[in-house]
Structure formats: structure tokens, C-alpha cells
Amino acid sequence: MLARRCARLLTDALSSRTRPPAPPCRAFSSSHTLLKQGRQEPRNAARNLRNEEIDLRSVYVVNAETTKLGPRTPLHAVLAGVNRSTHFVELVSRDPPVVKIVDSKAAHAARKALKARLRATRMEQKEVQMTWNVGAEDIAHKLRNARAQLVRGNMVDVAFAPKSKQPLPPRDEMRRKMQQVVDFVQDIAVEKQERTLLRNVGVVSLRPVKTKIQQEAESTENAVEFTEDAAKSE
């Protein structure tokens, strides 16, 4: 009976944190859509400047194969030498002024592939459960499992619950174990909401700071290497 009660308490504690709140009722307003459209960001606000959007007089063009910089060239001459139906000129850096020539089809294919990978790696909610009296080796194993899920880009709830016929540790010891969870993954995760300790069930909710796909997207967004000192010495 006690074991079933503990399991029910643990299930209630976890489900109460993941249950989405009911959406508030609101009256229909014909102006809502217009207001929403007025707050939208420009479609291309996040991308680098391209072609005539680049407000520089002369630039270095980076070689896509060698990643080396060519001589400083007037921007209008660079633009005149590009077939706009297949390629575009994109700003890489303002200081030094560096641009790259991008294959339009290849760039579009890379964006589609990245979006597909992002859709395929959506966050999932995982749970790691243990008792307050868990041993050092067992808690290390459980924490490694939680860390592995966070590295994969999933959210993790780490829950501590009482065990039948075993004494409960002091409240300070419970909090210390919960803090141990946070310390173990602090380099890759943060708490997505305030930790709870109710009815002797403690829950720490974690989310990854960045998924592997997000890190890859950021590192390859402007994947052109160049030496700033060499550019400035031209």
C-alpha cells in the first residue's frame, strides 16, 4: 500500500508540472490580425545583407575553396561579375569588409536540410526517477542518463521520492541532492522552472541550453574562415 501511494505521489508531482494551462477565453476582434501583422519582423531581418543591400564601397572576396581573401575590390565590380540568376554576394564582415559569393541553389538546399533536421529533433520530455536513499553509484548512473538526454536536446525532469520502509533524510539533505542534480549538468542545461519539494517528493526540471543542431546552425551560419590581420594588411 505504501509503495503504491509513493508511486501515485510521484506521478501526481510530475504530471502537475507538465500539464499545460487552459487557454484563456477571449472575444474575437477583427483588428487582432492587423495588430499581429504590424508586430511581425521583416522577413529577411535575420539574414546577412546581400548584393545592393551591402553599403560598402570596396570589399575583400573570400575564396570558397581556399577560404583565403582576394585583393580589395570595388563592390560594384564584384556585383558586376556575378551571375545573379545563380549566385548572390553576401556580407560576411564589416571590419574588415569581407563578402562571399554564394550559390543560390546550394544555399537553399542547405537551409531546407537544416530545417528538416530541426523538425526531426524536436525536444521530448524525459523523466529520471530515484529515491531519496539512492546510493552514490546509483545516483551517478541516473545523473549520467539525465545528462545524455539533455545532450540529445531533450528536457528532463529528475524526481526524488520516498521509498517504502526507509527513513526520510533531513530536509536539508533533500535540497542538497536536488542541488547536486543541477550542479552535474550546469554546463549544458538550466532549470526551466522553479524546483519543487512537496509531500516529500522533489522535482528538478531541466532544459538544454542549446541542442546540437542549434549549435551546428550557429557555427555554420557564416562558415567562412579568414584572417583579420591579413585582410587589414592588404
Side-chain angles (χ1 to χ4, degrees):
M1 290 292 291
L2 183 58
R4 287 198 297 271
R5 181 173 176 271
C6 291
R8 187 167 60 254
L9 288 175
L10 180 57
T11 301
D12 292 344
L14 290 172
S15 62
S16 65
R17 298 168 67 86
T18 58
R19 187 180 301 120
C25 298
R26 62 183 306 277
F28 173 79
S29 173
S30 59
S31 63
H32 175 66
T33 303
L34 295 176
L35 291 173
K36 184 177 179 181
Q37 290 175 349
R39 290 194 298 266
Q40 289 179 341
E41 293 293 328
R43 182 178 180 181
N44 296 325
R47 69 164 174 80
N48 291 341
L49 299 179
R50 297 178 181 179
N51 299 332
E52 280 78 8
E53 297 172 354
I54 304 171
D55 55 347
L56 297 171
R57 291 188 176 184
S58 60
V59 294
Y60 300 99
V61 180
V62 66
N63 187 300
E65 296 180 357
T66 66
T67 69
K68 295 184 181 296
L69 298 178
R72 192 154 185 165
T73 308
L75 178 61
H76 68 81
V78 176
L79 294 173
V82 173
N83 183 348
R84 302 293 186 88
S85 64
T86 59
H87 293 73
F88 59 86
V89 178
E90 185 175 65
L91 180 66
V92 174
S93 169
R94 285 188 172 276
D95 185 19
V98 178
V99 299
K100 60 181 177 180
I101 298 174
V102 181
D103 185 306
S104 303
K105 287 186 177 180
H108 179 68
R111 286 194 299 271
K112 285 185 66 176
L114 180 58
K115 288 180 180 179
R117 292 186 65 190
L118 286 170
R119 286 195 297 270
T121 55
R122 289 187 180 130
M123 281 188 182
E124 295 181 11
Q125 181 66 58
K126 302 293 183 179
E127 295 176 4
V128 174
Q129 301 178 8
M130 61 188 96
T131 66
W132 290 115
N133 304 94
V134 63
E137 291 186 5
D138 288 339
I139 193 172
H141 175 70
K142 295 278 190 178
L143 291 181
R144 284 194 295 269
N145 288 344
R147 185 180 179 90
Q149 291 295 338
L150 290 164
V151 169
R152 294 189 187 105
N154 294 321
M155 296 179 291
V156 179
D157 281 350
V158 180
F160 293 89
K163 187 175 182 179
S164 175
K165 298 181 181 180
Q166 287 194 2
L168 287 171
R171 206 76 170 174
D172 289 344
E173 178 65 13
M174 292 180 177
R175 294 191 180 95
R176 187 192 68 78
K177 285 182 180 290
M178 295 174 71
Q179 184 60 45
Q180 183 180 354
V181 173
V182 177
D183 293 342
F184 189 78
V185 297
Q186 63 180 347
D187 58 322
I188 61 168
V190 294
E191 294 182 73
K192 67 178 182 180
Q193 60 192 69
E194 186 177 355
R195 67 189 78 165
T196 60
L197 182 53
L198 301 172
R199 293 186 290 180
N200 295 323
V201 175
V203 180
V204 179
S205 295
L206 302 165
R207 65 172 178 81
V209 176
K210 292 179 183 177
T211 66
K212 280 188 174 181
I213 302 298
Q214 289 172 327
Q215 292 172 354
E216 180 181 338
E218 290 183 1
S219 64
T220 59
E221 185 178 8
N222 289 316
V224 178
E225 297 180 0
F226 61 91
T227 305
E228 184 172 333
D229 293 339
K232 290 184 177 180
S233 64
E234 289 284 344

